[in-house]
């Protein structure tokens, strides 16, 4: 079945098979949060992006293969409700950007812009995107056999950047980071996976950047 990125709360996961990496997307919790399980097909190691909610469902998704790492994209509670239980049950290493670490319910190792997070023999680049929260991050997987894949948390969605509470300074920081650290660096075919809702590509959203900047959100 062709991957569309469409999932619904309580519904079936969406699975994408890349060369060397499997991405499983599931919607959890009352705020329709996306959680992403990445599995290195060469080693079987797994990494979870945002243990957002419904720990039993996430643990069932992890299965018997175990979980090495949980990356939290930012400190907002709807992205870490299940974190403590998932880490306790799997022994996974929790990771978060240093500027958001204090907002998590458990201690976590910290990330910085440009760091590399591994899942088996695959690598993800940490991209710091300031504005939605001080320590929001995106994770970039450069598929050697295809297009880049980008996990954006709540910093970039189809149709605009993340919420900045109508704060012009925070919005300016976020739109600048999204434009310069994502759109200026990555090609149009880059597929991105947000923290809520459906996916998109940078090419589909690029023409709207001036409109987003002009409207201020």
């Amino acid at each position: 079945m062709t991957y569309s990125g469409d999932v619904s709360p309580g519904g079936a996961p969406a699975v994408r098979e890349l060369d060397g990496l499997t991405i499983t997307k599931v919607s959890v919790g009352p705020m329709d949060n996306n959680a992403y399980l990445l599995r290195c097909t060469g080693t079987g190691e797994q990494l979870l992006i945002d243990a957002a909610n419904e720990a039993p469902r996430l643990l069932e998704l992890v299965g018997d293969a175990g979980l090495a790492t949980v990356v939290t994209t930012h400190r907002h509670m709807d992205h870490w409700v299940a974190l403590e239980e998932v880490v306790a049950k799997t022994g996974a290493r929790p990771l978060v950007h240093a500027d958001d670490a204090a907002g998590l319910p458990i201690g976590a190792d910290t990330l910085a812009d440009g760091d590399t997070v591994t899942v088996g023999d695959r690598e993800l680049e940490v991209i710091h995107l300031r504005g939605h929260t001080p320590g929001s991050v995106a994770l970039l997987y450069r598929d050697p056999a295809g297009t880049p894949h980008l996990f954006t948390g709540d910093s970039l969605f189809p149709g605009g950047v993340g919420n900045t509470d109508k704060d012009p300074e925070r919005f300016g920081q976020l739109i600048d980071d999204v434009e310069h650290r994502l759109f200026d660096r990555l090609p149009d075919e880059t597929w991105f996976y947000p923290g809520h809702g459906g996916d998109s590509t940078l090419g589909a959203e690029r023409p709207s950047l001036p409109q987003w900047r002009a409207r201020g959100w």
Side-chain angles (χ1 to χ4, degrees):
M1 183 179 295
T2 302
Y3 174 85
S4 68
D6 295 329
V7 293
S8 59
V15 181
R16 187 171 209 168
E17 299 282 356
L18 306 178
D19 184 21
L21 190 72
T22 300
I23 300 168
T24 302
K25 176 182 180 179
V26 64
S27 172
V28 294
M31 296 184 70
D32 189 13
N33 282 76
N34 295 327
Y36 299 93
L37 183 69
L38 278 53
R39 180 175 62 87
C40 171
T41 56
T43 67
E45 188 169 282
Q46 298 190 122
L47 175 149
L48 181 66
I49 300 174
D50 285 342
N53 212 314
E54 296 183 56
R57 281 189 70 202
L58 296 180
L59 291 167
E60 182 179 6
L61 200 65
V62 167
D64 295 333
L67 187 66
T69 310
V70 182
V71 179
T72 302
T73 58
H74 62 289
R75 68 189 185 191
H76 287 159
M77 183 178 179
D78 60 307
H79 290 260
W80 54 251
V81 170
L83 178 63
E84 189 168 10
E85 184 173 348
V86 167
V87 168
K89 294 285 179 61
T90 65
R93 178 190 182 198
L95 295 173
V96 68
H97 190 278
D99 291 343
D100 274 10
L104 266 56
I106 59 173
D109 292 338
T110 56
L111 300 168
D113 186 61
D115 282 353
T116 297
V117 178
T118 59
V119 50
D121 56 20
R122 306 286 108 177
E123 291 187 347
L124 305 167
E125 178 190 344
V126 176
I127 303 174
H128 188 195
L129 301 171
R130 302 156 293 181
H132 181 64
T133 66
S136 290
V137 297
L139 296 173
L140 172 64
Y141 174 61
R142 294 185 182 271
D143 183 357
T147 63
H149 296 261
L150 184 67
F151 302 88
T152 58
D154 283 2
S155 292
L156 176 64
F157 296 95
V161 297
N163 179 34
T164 53
D165 295 324
K166 299 182 180 180
D167 181 326
E169 183 175 350
R170 286 175 55 197
F171 171 75
Q173 182 71 81
L174 182 55
I175 193 73
D176 284 348
D177 279 1
V178 164
E179 182 169 355
H180 301 316
R181 298 184 178 189
L182 301 182
F183 283 91
D184 287 354
R185 291 182 53 207
L186 298 169
D188 282 352
E189 59 266 27
T190 303
W191 189 283
F192 73 87
Y193 308 78
H196 306 263
D199 306 347
S200 187
T201 65
L202 293 188
E205 307 301 322
R206 192 183 300 274
S208 300
L209 277 169
Q211 177 189 351
W212 299 352
R213 189 177 287 276
R215 75 189 182 190
W217 55 274

